[in-house]
Amino acid sequence: MIEITLDGQKVEVAEGSMVMHAAEKAGTYIPHFCYHKKLSIAANCRMCLVDVEKAPKPMPACATPVTNGMIVRTKSEKAVKAQQSVMEFLLINHPLDCPICDQGGECQLQDLAVGYGPGSSRYEEEKRVVMHKDVGPLISMEEMSRCIHCTRCVRFGQEIAGVMELGMIHRGEHSEITTVLNDTVDSEVSGNMIDLCPVGALTSKPFRYSARPWELSRRKSISPHDSTGANLIVQVKNNKVLRVLPYENNDVNECWLADRDRFSYEALNSSDRLTTPMLKQGGEWKPVDWQTALEYVARGVKDIQRDHGAKSIGALVSPHSTVEELFLAQKLVRALGSENIDHRLRHAEFAPPEGVRWLGTSIASLSTLQGALVIGSNLRKDHPLFALRLRAAVRTGARVSVLHDRDDDWAMTIAGKSVVPAGRWVQALADVAAAIAKEKGSQAPLQGNASDEAKALAAVLLSGERKAILLGNAAAHHPAASSLLSLAGWIAEQTGATVGYLTEAANTVGAQLVKAMPGAGGLNAGQMLAGGLKALFLFNTEPEFDSAAGAAARKLGQGGGMVVTLSPFKANLDISDVLLPIAPWTETPGTFVNAEGRVQSFHAVVKPLADTRPGWKVLRVLGNMLGVPGFEYETSADVLADARGATDVDQSLVQGNLLSNKTSRSAQAGGSDARPVTASIYQLDGIVRRAESLQLTADAIVARRLAQEVAA
């Protein structure tokens, strides 16, 4: 440790630290623009100039290494005068458009100009003008004349996102940030550039001119999409969600958000929202009141239960639903005498798990791994924030290898890669096991060939201490999922790695905890999707898009039974008999359990739209009308308390005795070459599918084209 004196205060910091780091530790604020704790040091704005004793001129705090005994003054006349001079220089070309700037009210330049800027400008010449650029549907670069060339956006692309989509061209007053080739910005985490921009040069295109920052209420929430469980700040005006920003949590999402989490809110305000219960009468949809709709459902379920038995009733539930909703859904189905409930809509294998499948390690630890083998995932698109973690690990020397059926661009250096059809994944993993067995002098669980490709994947796990084997969405949905897990478990034991599932949805772990899966004699999702049930509840899901059945799910309503859809949107119109409008995540309290087993509860941030009702309330009332016991809940907290009691979960992190990726099943060779069913980045759930701006991105356009080619 090195000791320096900062504004008369003794501060100890690690060797190699900068003056800015010492100031942060001491709680001293030094004005800055280009410096950011998650980015490399650029030292190009010069706003952080400080007075270092014995230095002939002011020094940038962000780029001046500390030395033992150094004396630094951040508020001396020399330092303040230097900072004022820099501010005057920065304001020379900045346009005077604060009244119409979206950044107004939360602008770093605006704030520092008050403290360090002159009352009037000595500059009388014409200000420079930079032409606007069109970089896609998410980021607006209409006012690039505001740019102060801090290069935060450039460094974010290079260092965090792994793709340098923006860069600086020219020099001096002709410098400008651009895509150079007039391309669009297509990174799945591009929206973070908006947060990083300290002025109003990069702004949110969907939010543009919607509201001023001080008009917005700020409320905490949790992302309902992938299994990261990203912490959010949802900003609201007039009971309408207008913007979503990251809430910093270094254990989960750090200070970043995936674009899927940031911009999906558009769907909540779309015309596709279901706002009143509806019944299909004579082939036409008619709006009705809640009492009529619920009585119709309750009467239909009782009749079916009497005439066909309880085993003819089932429910398909989305793993994007809350713990409270999933707990009540399975409780209702089981109270009726059925075990037909499942959340594993895209799975091809339904072997009963021997524990709750989870990540196998903490999310934060992904940043410090020394080796990782990822099986069956395009990590960058399936779990963008996990990809940021692994990319950070690679930057510090970690080695990552991949087993997949597509050669995707992960925007990071890949140490080993095996691209084979899905039907050969078990054999490819057996080859890796054979290479490890040869190295360790042990017996592999399955016959394999230690090829050079297999040795490259094995080498990643045979060196280093902190290692992980991560099974992606395609591996979880694979027809031979148990064999893949069995082989991964053996390899992990031999190499000292952890093994875990990335898990697909916001509440995949929570759905397992509350047993939203069939019990003894119950039908799994694949069997229910094949048809035959007389009463089927579709909770927050659209089987045509959310399940392995795909277009075949359109036949679900042809069996003469009753299909009840509970959804925030006008969904399943062709197959349903009843539509019940339930609240999306912003309009209901709830709980998600992310991939690492972190239990995160949240409150509603706006009131339910029109006649929409929280899903847990609808299920509770249905339970009351069907006369089943144990549905006397007053609040969602009561439901959660009951769910916690049923699962022995009473802490923020689920205990290890409930989480397990072990399996006693042995690996079996062979398998179909059919590709496991997975969702593309902007087709994951009904909310993302209805977010207009996300559907205009390059990723969404490519996914639609591929889907059309497959259908053809």
Side-chain angles (χ1 to χ4, degrees):
M1 299 294 283
I2 289 176
E3 185 179 83
I4 72 168
T5 302
L6 184 81
D7 292 338
Q9 177 183 352
K10 299 289 186 181
V11 184
E12 280 194 351
V13 290
E15 187 175 356
S17 299
M18 302 296 162
V19 171
M20 184 70 81
H21 301 140
E24 287 178 344
K25 187 172 182 179
T28 299
Y29 178 73
I30 298 176
H32 60 272
F33 292 111
C34 68
Y35 171 78
H36 190 277
K37 62 185 177 182
K38 297 289 185 180
L39 302 176
S40 64
I41 292 169
N44 53 11
C45 77
R46 318 308 284 183
M47 190 64 212
C48 63
L49 292 175
V50 293
D51 180 8
V52 179
E53 192 168 278
K54 296 183 181 178
K57 57 183 180 181
M59 304 293 287
C62 68
T64 302
V66 294
T67 58
N68 211 28
M70 175 186 278
I71 298 174
V72 180
R73 301 179 183 87
T74 67
K75 298 177 177 62
S76 67
E77 183 180 354
K78 183 178 179 180
V80 172
K81 188 174 181 180
Q83 292 161 359
Q84 289 174 338
S85 297
V86 171
M87 177 55 70
E88 183 178 23
F89 179 76
L90 288 174
L91 292 175
I92 280 176
N93 278 309
H94 197 79
L96 300 176
D97 59 355
C98 296
I100 59 107
C101 178
D102 268 347
Q103 196 87 347
E106 54 188 15
C107 174
Q108 210 170 331
L109 182 68
Q110 202 174 49
D111 293 342
L112 294 182
V114 172
Y116 300 90
S120 60
S121 175
R122 296 181 289 172
Y123 186 79
E124 296 179 353
E125 288 75 11
E126 290 184 2
K127 292 179 180 285
R128 78 173 196 146
V129 175
V130 179
M131 293 303 295
H132 68 268
K133 290 119 180 134
D134 185 1
V135 293
L138 305 180
I139 299 176
S140 172
M141 294 180 74
E142 291 289 321
E143 288 89 13
M144 289 306 293
S145 297
R146 299 171 182 162
C147 180
I148 61 170
H149 308 137
C150 69
T151 69
R152 279 184 177 184
C153 55
V154 178
R155 284 175 285 146
F156 173 81
Q158 284 180 296
E159 299 161 15
I160 308 299
V163 184
M164 186 176 175
E165 295 179 295
L166 294 178
M168 184 185 291
I169 60 173
H170 306 311
R171 300 187 68 179
E173 69 171 5
H174 300 295
S175 300
E176 60 179 284
I177 301 291
T178 176
T179 57
V180 183
L181 298 178
N182 295 322
D183 297 327
T184 53
V185 173
D186 299 322
S187 168
E188 63 285 347
V189 289
S190 64
N192 293 293
M193 296 180 185
I194 299 168
D195 296 338
L196 288 171
C197 184
V199 295
L202 303 181
T203 54
S204 168
K205 192 171 280 189
F207 174 70
R208 188 173 165 82
Y209 296 148
S210 296
R212 305 316 302 260
W214 56 83
E215 298 174 322
L216 300 170
S217 300
R218 293 162 175 79
R219 293 152 192 179
K220 296 179 186 177
S221 192
I222 305 296
S223 169
H225 305 304
D226 66 37
S227 59
T228 309
N231 290 207
L232 312 175
I233 293 290
V234 181
Q235 299 193 327
V236 176
K237 179 183 177 183
N238 297 333
N239 204 49
K240 186 176 180 181
V241 176
L242 292 183
R243 188 165 61 163
V244 172
L245 299 174
Y247 180 77
E248 186 169 353
N249 185 336
N250 281 322
D251 291 331
V252 182
N253 57 299
E254 300 178 275
C255 57
W256 312 124
L257 275 190
D259 291 348
R260 181 164 57 193
D261 304 322
R262 184 184 299 270
F263 296 107
S264 65
Y265 72 87
E266 283 187 297
L268 307 175
N269 307 319
S270 72
S271 59
D272 208 28
R273 282 293 302 271
L274 179 65
T275 56
T276 186
M278 302 184 81
L279 292 179
K280 188 182 284 185
Q281 299 174 339
E284 293 186 7
W285 285 104
K286 305 287 186 183
V288 296
D289 59 68
W290 271 104
Q291 187 68 23
T292 302
L294 292 174
E295 286 178 351
Y296 178 91
V297 174
R299 187 166 57 249
V301 169
K302 287 178 180 178
D303 291 346
I304 290 168
Q305 188 181 26
R306 182 190 67 237
D307 298 339
H308 301 280
K311 292 185 178 179
S312 63
I313 301 169
L316 294 171
V317 294
S318 169
H320 299 276
S321 304
T322 65
V323 165
E324 292 82 352
E325 292 166 341
L326 293 170
F327 175 73
L328 285 185
Q330 65 83 26
K331 186 174 181 178
L332 178 61
V333 169
R334 290 190 163 98
L336 293 171
S338 174
E339 290 289 339
N340 306 330
I341 182 166
D342 211 346
H343 72 278
R344 301 167 296 176
L345 305 180
R346 294 190 176 99
H347 284 228
E349 184 195 87
F350 296 94
E354 296 165 25
V356 174
R357 305 308 192 201
W358 68 301
L359 188 61
T361 185
S362 67
I363 291 175
S365 71
L366 297 179
S367 300
T368 60
L369 288 177
Q370 294 173 324
L373 170 60
V374 182
I375 304 167
S377 176
N378 178 5
L379 189 68
R380 182 179 164 194
K381 303 301 180 182
D382 293 345
H383 298 87
L385 297 180
F386 290 173
L388 297 191
R389 295 273 189 181
L390 274 191
R391 195 172 293 118
V394 168
R395 288 202 311 274
T396 58
R399 302 170 71 209
V400 174
S401 58
V402 182
L403 170 58
H404 201 27
D405 62 352
R406 293 186 309 200
D407 190 7
D408 299 308
D409 178 12
W410 280 29
M412 70 177 83
T413 302
I414 302 298
K417 185 179 294 185
S418 180
V419 181
V420 295
R424 291 181 54 202
W425 286 359
V426 172
Q427 188 57 54
L429 204 54
D431 293 347
V432 176
I436 290 171
K438 187 176 180 180
E439 186 74 22
K440 294 280 187 177
S442 56
Q443 179 67 42
L446 199 63
Q447 182 84 30
N449 173 32
S451 63
D452 290 342
E453 195 173 70
K455 288 177 180 176
L457 270 62
V460 169
L461 298 174
L462 286 168
S463 61
E465 296 179 358
R466 299 182 301 277
K467 296 161 288 190
I469 301 173
L470 303 171
L471 296 155
N473 296 347
H477 304 165
H478 199 281
S482 292
S483 292
L484 291 173
L485 177 59
S486 178
L487 282 167
W490 184 88
I491 293 171
E493 287 177 3
Q494 295 293 312
T495 60
T498 62
V499 61
Y501 284 95
L502 294 167
T503 69
E504 180 184 40
N507 209 19
T508 300
V509 174
Q512 297 173 80
L513 281 167
V514 299
K515 296 180 173 55
M517 294 183 291
L523 301 180
N524 60 48
Q527 293 167 326
M528 285 189 272
L529 286 163
L533 291 179
K534 293 301 180 182
L536 180 62
F537 290 90
L538 301 176
F539 194 94
N540 199 23
T541 184
E542 300 168 78
E544 181 178 353
F545 307 107
D546 293 332
S547 78
R554 297 173 189 165
K555 299 178 182 178
L556 278 176
Q558 298 177 6
M562 178 177 68
V563 177
V564 181
T565 289
L566 299 90
S567 172
F569 303 104
K570 298 168 186 172
N572 306 324
L573 297 178
D574 295 337
I575 62 176
S576 299
D577 301 287
V578 188
L579 297 180
L580 301 178
I582 61 170
W585 105 99
T586 52
E587 299 170 18
T588 180
T591 304
F592 292 136
V593 185
N594 72 359
E596 67 176 352
R598 184 177 296 270
V599 182
Q600 300 185 106
S601 295
F602 54 91
H603 298 288
V605 299
V606 292
K607 296 177 182 177
L609 181 66
D611 283 336
T612 298
R613 296 291 181 268
W616 72 269
K617 283 189 176 181
V618 176
L619 292 169
R620 182 203 63 191
V621 174
L622 269 176
N624 295 151
M625 297 180 76
L626 288 166
V628 297
F631 276 74
E632 296 77 29
Y633 304 103
E634 294 294 331
T635 66
S636 65
D638 295 339
V639 182
L640 181 61
D642 198 0
R644 284 180 182 272
T647 58
D648 295 325
V649 175
D650 59 358
Q651 59 282 315
S652 60
L653 276 172
V654 179
Q655 294 301 307
N657 61 334
L658 292 173
L659 304 173
S660 173
N661 295 314
K662 293 184 178 179
T663 178
S664 59
R665 298 179 185 87
S666 58
Q668 303 293 323
S672 167
D673 276 348
R675 190 171 193 281
V677 176
T678 58
S680 61
I681 184 171
Y682 298 133
Q683 292 292 319
L684 183 62
D685 57 69
I687 295 176
V688 171
R689 285 194 293 271
R690 291 171 173 84
E692 183 180 356
S693 295
L694 291 179
Q695 296 308 315
L696 295 174
T697 60
D699 278 326
I701 293 169
V702 168
R704 283 198 297 272
R705 186 175 69 243
L706 290 174
Q708 291 168 358
E709 290 174 358
V710 170

